[in-house]
């Protein structure tokens, strides 16, 4: 049965998409709540440089070495951003907008120079090739498993363990950094660990969805979930569900119109956000309007 | 010499240079307002959001017509700005999430449209790819007229509403109290940033255009003391970065234009951050070292003074090794500096005991002031 | 004799650096600077146990910075701090902290009870989850501040005064010996202010030390029995009746004292 599932190309594509979405939404939830979600924009761009550098030094195009390289590049991006902002001469948002385009530019130029030797070109960098993930497989026992599915599954598991084990610590550090520090929970370190995982996830997802679409998976499902619930644990579950649904819907629609599958999956996260924005039970626009009307009819008395 | 002349009179090179100048001017000028209003990453969202517009413009015009493409880009850019506005004002999402949502979903829609156009097998679709990372060499003379016209409109609006833009950027509440339509002026500034983004799309591309809005303005901020100077310098930085990056890429074929322009602009930022007079990091490191020395000096003076008053002896000699132990570090260098400034002097207490120090009259006065025993006259 | 000279003398006599187990808070020679400017300079501070102490001073006097450096949240340029004779790291579980209300995002997806439970996280340590025991303690603390009916409420639906009570309840579950509160009375209604003062007074009566950054000079003498007047340096410290003098206030507030005449004691 497993063998049959692994042969099923649409299933493999949808599963990879769902795993990208879930793995990204886990750290994404905390980034969105902390107000630092645009760091994922910075990270996912600058890991291009990390990927090229690791390839130049080791020849590895995927695998653990690339994940570690990405984590380091991602942290370096955040560190450089904080360094630039820390000079007090550049505001935080401008610092982000200075650091990652520079690192990304170096990465792209290196790609230009070595284009003939690497399998990643400018296009893949931006868009990924989720439609072709089933072409690149590794043997796992008796089964041929798509490499992307395997690496995304691993990242998903790692992120899940991290969030479950440190749920209480992450919650406190995100909600009240000062108290977390006073209680000895090292919120700065936790935050860097979260960003390292985001970077590693970005690299694992790179072949599938590329640099820019990854941002959608980090930010949009948690944001949609945030409009639907007042509980952190539920917010995590809902964003995972929204990511999975986006993956399925995105695949179906993309095949129908013969367009980019990864792109359509990201568009679908936006659609779910729109639905949450309109129909959210407490914070939706319609619920708000109804509440206002009810208040208006009650108060004149 | 001849080679240089031939190079400069080359048709493509001329186009590239002019294009870079137009792009640098408009993004430099409007970037100033984006950076000062802390909307740097709005530029990032607007430029990524241009991609679906580029595709729509292409689809509607049926060819790679620049006016149609740029109009489409402007339209979706404005739409993205609107989405951000609605999300931040009508939901509890913070600005960063709103920008991230707008940026990534619009870009994804662009990707979908791009693959749709590829699927239709339109022969001229190859040109659209260049909008991702920019391609200076693809610029035609007719493109320059389009870019120039857009830039002129943008700059004209900035010139006409200069004092309104200036006040709203600096102090929106005060501007509102003067009866200025702050909301509308802010909207106008956002639209103008979308305009600047559109002008640069062909050369720098959607992915990196944000850097061209941010970097020249940040570089200029380090040197300028007035908004006028900042705008001028920013435009200049934009032109220099744009021209050098674009020319480099037309010389070395195979290198994308956008990244080269961005790196040139980044270089300008680094130099400015380090060396600009007054604000330069280099100078401030020197100042901070001096201040740290000064602070350490005040602490040592205070300790000697405390010891003296504890012994009811204003010229009580403090033993240096004791000061070391008390401050947890060698105070020798600090004491010599204080001696140089005439605040302490070395005394011979007992020759076998090592150096001792006492406060001079001036040192005593300074120590008292540090300890708040004589409040400053001005208070 | 100033404490720093005192310590210097001890050093001179070959004594070990003094720990002050008899003092709830003991600060020596604390200097904190931000970039080139000292925010706190040469602070020597002693607060005995069992007092309710106000930290008062003008804006930018370094009041919050003082508390943050005692709790190890700000890195000082120099200085030595002990709580009951031990470093903060050693007594972390005996210290309660209420940050300024505005430092957290009240739209965070969590409930009142959950926020109060956070006070017990320090005792739980890494990885361990709060259980029924913790929930019961949190409910008890909520009762103490009169918020037991709000336990399941989403925190964004609270008023400013209710938010402050929740924060106070969170500090109460810490069951600490020393409490630090940063502007707990800022922007709360009169009822809440009275409730907070009553609870803090009860803590003091139980022998706890309560240190409050306070902004309202008029209520210092009614609420507190110990005072630290701060303006980058310590201007005065000690029992309120001795330290709350026009002269000290003028030294702390400088020219601004004219504005505060109503709150200042007669000379």
């Amino acid at each position: 049965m497993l063998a049959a599932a692994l042969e099923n190309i649409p299933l493999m594509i949808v599963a990879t998409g769902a795993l990208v979405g879930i793995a990204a939404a886990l750290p994404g939830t905390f980034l969105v709540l902390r107000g630092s979600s645009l760091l994922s924009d910075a990270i996912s761009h600058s890991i291009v440089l990390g990927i090229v550098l690791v390839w130049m030094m080791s020849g590895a195009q995927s695998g653990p070495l690339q994940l570690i390289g990405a984590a380091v590049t991602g942290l370096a991006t955040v560190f450089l951003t904080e360094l630039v902002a820390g000079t007090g001469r550049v505001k935080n948002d401008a610092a982000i907008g200075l650091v990652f385009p520079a690192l990304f530019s170096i990465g792209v130029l290196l790609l230009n120079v070595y284009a003939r030797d690497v399998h990643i070109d400018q296009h893949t960098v931006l868009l990924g090739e989720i439609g072709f993930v089933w072409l690149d497989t590794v043997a796992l026992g008796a089964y041929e498993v798509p490499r992307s599915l395997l690496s995304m599954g691993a990242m998903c598991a790692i992120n899940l363990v991290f969030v479950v084990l440190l749920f209480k610590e992450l919650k406190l550090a995100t909600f009240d950094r000062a108290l977390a520090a006073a209680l000895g929970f090292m919120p700065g370190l936790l935050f860097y660990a979260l960003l390292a995982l985001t970077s590693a996830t970005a690299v694992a997802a790179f072949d599938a969805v590329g640099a820019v679409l990854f941002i959608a998976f980090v930010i949009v499902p948690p944001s949609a979930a945030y409009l639907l619930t007042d509980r952190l644990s539920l917010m995590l579950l809902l964003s995972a569900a929204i990511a999975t649904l986006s993956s399925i819907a995105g695949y179906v629609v993309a095949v129908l119109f013969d367009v980019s599958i990864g792109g359509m999956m990201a568009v679908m996260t936006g659609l779910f956000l729109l639905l949450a924005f309109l129909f959210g039970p407490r914070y939706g626009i319609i619920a708000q309007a109804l509440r206002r009307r009810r208040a208006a009819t009650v108060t004149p008395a | 010499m001849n080679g240089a002349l031939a190079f400069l009179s080359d048709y493509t090179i001329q186009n590239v240079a002019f294009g870079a100048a137009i792009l640098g001017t408009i993004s430099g000028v409007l970037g100033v307002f984006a950076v000062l209003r802390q909307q740097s990453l709005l530029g990032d969202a607007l430029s990524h959001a241009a991609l679906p517009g580029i595709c729509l413009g292409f689809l509607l015009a049926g060819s790679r017509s620049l006016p149609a493409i740029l109009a489409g880009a402007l339209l979706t850019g404005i739409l993205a700005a609107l989405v951000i506005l609605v999300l931040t004002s009508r939901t509890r999402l913070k600005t960063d999430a709103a920008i991230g949502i707008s940026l990534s979903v619009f870009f994804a829609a662009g990707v979908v449209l791009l693959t749709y156009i590829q699927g239709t097998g339109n022969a001229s679709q190859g040109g659209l790819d260049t909008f991702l990372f920019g391609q200076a060499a693809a610029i035609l003379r007719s493109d320059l007229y389009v870019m120039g016209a857009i830039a002129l409109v943008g700059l004209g609006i900035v010139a006409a509403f200069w004092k309104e833009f200036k006040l709203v950027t600096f102090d929106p509440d005060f501007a509102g109290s003067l009866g200025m339509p702050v909301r509308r002026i802010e909207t106008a500034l956002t639209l103008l940033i979308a305009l600047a983004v559109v002008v640069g799309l062909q050369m720098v591309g959607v992915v990196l255009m944000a850097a061209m809005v941010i970097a020249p303005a940040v570089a200029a901020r380090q040197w300028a003391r007035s908004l006028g100077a900042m705008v001028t310098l920013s435009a200049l930085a934009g032109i220099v970065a744009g021209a050098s990056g674009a020319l480099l890429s037309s010389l070395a074929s195979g290198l994308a234009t956008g990244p080269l322009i961005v790196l040139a602009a980044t270089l300008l930022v680094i130099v400015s951050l380090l060396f600009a007079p007054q604000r330069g990091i280099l100078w401030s490191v020197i100042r901070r070292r001096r201040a740290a020395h000064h602070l350490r000096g005040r602490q040592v003076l205070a300790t000697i003074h405390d010891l003296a008053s504890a012994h009811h002896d204003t010229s009580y000699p403090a033993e240096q090794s004791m000061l070391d132990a008390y401050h947890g570090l060698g105070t020798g260098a600090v004491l010599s500096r204080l001696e140089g400034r005439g605040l302490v002097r070395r005394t011979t207490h007992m020759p076998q005991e090592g150096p001792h120090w006492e406060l001079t009259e001036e040192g005593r006065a300074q120590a008292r002031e540090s300890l708040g025993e004589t409040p400053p006259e001005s208070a | 004799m100033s404490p720093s000279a005192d310590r210097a003398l001890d050093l001179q006599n070959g004594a070990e650096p003094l720990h002050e187990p008899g003092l709830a808070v003991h600060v020596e020679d604390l200097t904190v600077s931000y970039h080139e400017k000292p925010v706190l300079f040469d602070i020597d501070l002693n607060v005995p146990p069992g007092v309710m102490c106000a930290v008062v001073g003008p804006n930018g006097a370094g009041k919050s910075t003082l508390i943050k450096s005692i709790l190890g949240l700000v890195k000082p340029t120099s200085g030595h701090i002990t709580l009951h004779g031990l470093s903060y790291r050693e007594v972390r579980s005996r210290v309660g902290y209420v940050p300024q209300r505005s430092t957290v995002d009240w739209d965070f997806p969590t409930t009142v009870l959950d926020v109060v439970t956070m006070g017990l996280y320090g005792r739980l340590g890494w990885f361990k989850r709060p259980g029924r025991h913790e929930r019961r303690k949190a409910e008890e603390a909520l009762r103490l501040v009169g918020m037991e009916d709000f336990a399941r409420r989403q925190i964004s639906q609270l008023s400013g005064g209710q938010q402050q009570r929740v924060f106070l309840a969170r500090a109460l579950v810490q069951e600490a010996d020393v409490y630090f509160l940063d502007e707990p009375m800022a922007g709360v209604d009169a009822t809440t202010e009275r409730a907070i003062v009553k609870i803090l007074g009860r803590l003091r009566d139980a022998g706890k030390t309560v240190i409050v950054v306070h902004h309202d000079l008029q209520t210092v003498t009614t609420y507190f029995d110990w005072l630290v007047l701060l303006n980058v340096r310590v201007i005065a410290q000690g029992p309120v009746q001795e330290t709350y003098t026009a002269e000290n206030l003028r030294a702390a507030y400088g020219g601004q004292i004219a504005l505060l005449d109503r709150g200042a004691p007669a000379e």
Side-chain angles (χ1 to χ4, degrees):
Chain A
M1 204 179 97
L2 188 57
L6 288 169
E7 292 282 299
N8 186 333
I9 292 169
L11 184 65
M12 285 303 98
I13 294 173
V14 168
T16 308
L19 286 176
V20 169
I22 296 169
L26 287 166
T29 298
F30 294 97
L31 292 180
V32 164
L33 288 175
R34 195 179 183 273
S36 318
S37 62
L38 281 173
L39 284 177
S40 69
D41 180 20
I43 286 174
S44 67
H45 280 89
S46 49
I47 53 159
V48 172
L49 175 61
I51 289 174
V52 179
L53 286 180
V54 171
W55 170 78
M56 282 169 69
M57 286 186 289
S58 72
Q61 290 186 7
S62 60
L65 210 57
Q66 277 290 5
L67 294 184
I68 293 165
V72 173
T73 326
L75 292 186
T77 311
V78 177
F79 176 76
L80 278 176
T81 304
E82 286 182 351
L83 191 74
V84 171
T87 63
R89 287 153 181 81
V90 182
K91 292 276 185 296
N92 194 41
D93 62 325
I96 295 179
L98 284 172
V99 170
F100 86 77
L103 297 180
F104 184 68
S105 296
I106 299 172
V108 170
L109 289 178
L110 286 176
L111 273 184
N112 286 160
V113 175
Y114 295 99
R116 260 153 266 118
D117 310 315
V118 212
H119 79 302
I120 29 181
D121 59 14
Q122 292 182 10
H123 242 126
T124 329
V125 163
L126 288 178
L127 319 175
E129 297 282 5
I130 199 169
F132 298 126
V133 289
W134 51 276
L135 284 175
D136 184 13
T137 60
V138 282
L140 200 71
Y143 303 110
E144 288 287 313
V145 184
R147 189 189 295 278
S148 277
L149 188 75
L150 202 63
S151 54
M152 277 326 299
M155 267 332 292
C156 212
I158 292 171
N159 290 355
L160 195 66
V161 168
F162 179 77
V163 168
V164 168
L165 271 184
L166 291 167
F167 183 72
K168 152 179 132 264
E169 289 77 6
L170 286 167
K171 180 163 69 177
L172 180 60
T174 312
F175 174 62
D176 191 341
R177 198 190 157 96
L179 184 70
L183 293 180
F185 285 120
M186 298 184 276
L189 193 70
L190 272 181
F191 181 55
Y192 265 84
L194 200 66
L195 291 171
L197 287 180
T198 310
S199 314
T201 312
V203 168
F206 200 76
D207 289 338
V209 295
V212 186
L213 299 180
F214 178 70
I215 306 166
F217 287 103
V218 176
I219 302 180
V220 187
S223 296
Y226 188 37
L227 299 181
L228 295 173
T229 177
D230 278 334
R231 277 176 52 199
L232 181 57
S233 47
L234 208 56
M235 185 174 159
L236 283 162
L237 284 177
L238 278 174
S239 19
I242 289 168
T244 309
L245 288 177
S246 302
S247 169
I248 298 169
Y251 177 79
V252 171
V253 179
V255 169
L256 202 64
F257 292 99
D258 189 22
V259 291
S260 158
I261 297 169
M264 204 38 122
M265 287 176 174
V267 170
M268 283 302 153
T269 64
L271 186 71
F272 282 106
L273 181 96
L274 180 68
L275 293 177
F277 172 69
L278 292 176
F279 305 111
R282 177 174 293 169
Y283 302 106
I285 285 297
I286 293 173
Q288 280 183 33
L290 285 178
R291 247 203 322 280
R292 224 167 312 153
R293 181 179 303 171
R294 214 173 306 138
T297 50
V298 170
T299 41
Chain B
M1 191 65 212
N2 243 342
L5 217 64
F7 176 70
L8 285 176
S9 56
D10 180 277
Y11 176 77
T12 318
I13 298 296
Q14 277 181 358
N15 282 352
V16 167
F18 273 121
I22 296 170
L23 150 80
T25 312
I26 182 93
S27 61
V29 169
L30 287 162
V32 165
F33 294 99
V35 166
L36 289 180
R37 297 178 60 226
Q38 296 188 38
Q39 285 192 326
S40 303
L41 292 172
L42 181 76
D44 198 23
L46 297 191
S47 62
H48 278 81
L51 187 61
I54 290 170
C55 298
L56 283 178
F58 176 87
L59 280 172
L60 289 178
S63 71
R64 196 180 175 284
S65 139
L66 196 65
I69 283 175
L70 295 193
L74 189 62
L75 188 78
T76 48
I78 291 170
L79 212 59
L82 202 69
V83 168
I84 294 172
L85 188 71
V86 169
L87 285 179
T88 46
S89 62
R90 302 297 295 275
T91 76
R92 53 179 180 161
L93 291 170
K94 297 182 194 59
T95 314
D96 66 301
I99 289 178
I101 290 165
S102 197
L103 181 156
S104 57
V105 175
F106 271 83
F107 187 82
V111 169
V112 167
L113 285 173
L114 206 59
T115 46
Y116 175 75
I117 292 169
Q118 277 164 355
T120 59
N122 192 315
S124 56
Q125 64 88 12
L128 286 189
D129 273 16
T130 61
F131 283 100
L132 289 175
F133 289 111
Q135 195 177 43
I139 287 187
L140 307 171
R141 187 57 56 94
S142 61
D143 295 346
L144 288 183
Y145 297 135
V146 179
M147 287 168 66
I150 300 174
L152 272 182
V153 170
L155 293 177
I157 295 174
V158 171
F161 297 100
W162 174 256
K163 71 176 186 306
E164 284 81 8
F165 285 175
K166 182 173 169 175
L167 194 56
V168 165
T169 302
F170 174 63
D171 189 349
D173 290 339
F174 181 66
S177 78
L178 294 185
M180 285 186 185
V182 176
R183 254 302 191 38
R184 253 177 283 166
I185 294 171
E186 283 177 342
T187 313
L189 277 171
T190 306
L191 296 186
L192 284 172
I193 292 168
L195 206 68
V197 164
V198 158
V199 171
L201 287 179
Q202 209 175 3
M203 290 190 84
V204 184
V206 295
V207 181
L208 286 168
M209 190 51 210
M212 268 318 274
V213 175
I214 301 169
V218 169
R221 175 70 191 90
Q222 312 309 318
W223 305 84
R225 285 153 176 267
S226 71
L227 187 65
M230 184 172 167
V231 165
T232 315
L233 285 175
S234 181
L236 216 62
I239 294 172
V240 170
S244 48
L247 291 177
L248 253 176
S249 94
S250 33
L251 287 177
S253 65
L255 292 185
T257 313
L260 282 171
I261 294 183
V262 167
L263 286 180
T266 308
L267 204 64
L268 287 178
V269 170
I270 294 173
V271 169
S272 305
L273 280 176
L274 288 178
F275 303 116
Q278 290 292 324
R279 278 174 72 98
I281 289 169
L282 187 68
W283 320 129
S284 117
V285 166
I286 293 171
R287 271 201 305 275
R288 206 171 301 169
R289 276 184 69 118
R290 274 200 207 124
H293 284 162
H294 188 65
L295 190 65
R296 185 59 73 196
R298 278 170 66 184
Q299 288 172 327
V300 170
L301 280 181
T303 311
I304 302 178
H305 179 76
D306 277 350
L307 281 169
S309 42
H311 284 86
H312 309 289
D313 172 9
T314 45
S315 56
Y316 173 79
E319 192 181 340
Q320 185 176 326
S321 58
M322 207 269 302
L323 291 170
D324 287 353
Y326 182 60
H327 284 276
L329 80 171
T331 51
V334 184
L335 285 163
S336 331
R337 264 200 310 277
L338 290 172
E339 186 180 26
R341 285 163 57 203
L343 300 174
V344 295
R345 71 178 149 255
R346 204 184 283 265
T347 59
T348 38
H349 191 55
M350 266 173 248
Q352 68 275 24
E353 274 195 352
H356 282 62
W357 300 83
E358 66 175 23
L359 296 177
T360 63
E361 199 50 52
E362 204 180 329
R364 214 159 9 249
Q366 283 226 359
R368 274 207 216 100
E369 203 199 309
S370 298
L371 290 166
E373 289 178 12
T374 47
E377 314 292 307
S378 57
Chain C
M1 192 193 301
S2 81
S4 78
D6 199 21
R7 173 149 186 265
L9 280 175
D10 286 329
L11 274 175
Q12 197 177 26
N13 300 334
E16 281 295 297
L18 253 191
H19 294 293
E20 304 280 357
L23 291 170
V25 181
H26 175 64
V27 177
E28 249 180 43
D29 267 333
L30 175 72
T31 295
V32 180
S33 46
Y34 180 69
H35 291 313
E36 283 112 90
K37 240 182 96 194
V39 186
L40 292 172
F41 182 76
D42 200 24
I43 301 284
D44 293 313
L45 194 69
N46 294 302
V47 181
V51 297
M52 192 152 144
C53 167
V55 179
V56 172
N59 285 334
K63 292 168 293 193
S64 289
T65 310
L66 176 62
I67 286 194
K68 284 186 182 151
S69 20
I70 294 174
L71 297 176
L73 301 176
V74 168
K75 223 181 130 200
T77 316
S78 65
H80 183 73
I81 298 163
T82 57
L83 302 166
H84 285 289
L86 299 167
S87 77
Y88 174 69
R89 269 172 178 281
E90 296 168 286
V91 290
R92 192 141 57 197
S93 60
R94 290 166 64 192
V95 178
Y97 174 42
V98 179
Q100 283 186 26
R101 200 156 38 90
S102 56
T103 55
V104 307
D105 172 14
W106 290 93
D107 262 338
F108 196 85
T110 190
T111 60
V112 166
L113 189 70
D114 199 32
V115 171
V116 178
T117 313
M118 288 177 186
L120 293 163
Y121 283 10
R123 195 157 315 162
L124 283 170
W126 289 88
F127 305 114
K128 211 140 135 228
R129 294 294 182 81
R132 194 181 309 154
H133 173 70
E134 281 74 22
R135 203 164 54 234
R136 207 158 335 116
K137 289 213 133 168
E139 280 164 353
E140 206 179 293
L142 275 175
R143 245 190 313 281
L144 282 175
V145 299
M147 290 283 292
E148 63 272 30
D149 296 339
F150 292 81
R152 306 273 151 216
R153 200 69 77 85
Q154 151 70 15
I155 54 170
S156 62
Q157 299 162 33
L158 302 178
S159 72
Q162 289 169 336
Q163 290 175 352
Q164 196 62 61
R165 285 175 194 222
V166 170
F167 258 28
L168 186 60
R170 187 176 73 173
L172 289 179
V173 296
Q174 289 185 265
E175 290 178 348
D177 293 329
V178 188
Y179 287 93
F180 293 92
L181 298 91
D182 201 344
E183 302 246 8
M185 264 80 107
V188 304
D189 53 289
T191 327
T192 303
E193 182 161 331
R194 271 196 302 278
I196 292 174
V197 170
K198 207 167 129 198
I199 291 164
L200 295 181
R202 235 183 276 152
L203 287 174
R204 186 249 332 262
D205 297 342
K208 319 278 190 187
T209 313
V210 180
I211 295 165
V212 179
V213 171
H214 195 58
H215 64 288
D216 183 9
L217 277 178
Q218 302 188 39
T219 50
V220 166
T221 46
T222 29
Y223 292 168
F224 299 95
D225 48 27
W226 199 268
L227 177 66
V228 173
L229 263 172
L230 197 68
N231 190 354
V232 185
R233 297 181 294 254
V234 172
I235 305 297
Q237 56 177 321
V240 166
Q241 58 272 29
E242 288 169 26
T243 42
Y244 193 73
T245 63
E247 191 192 342
N248 282 341
L249 288 176
R250 197 170 297 124
Y253 284 83
Q256 299 169 45
I257 195 67
L259 302 169
L260 300 157
D261 265 346
R262 239 157 26 97
E267 295 196 32

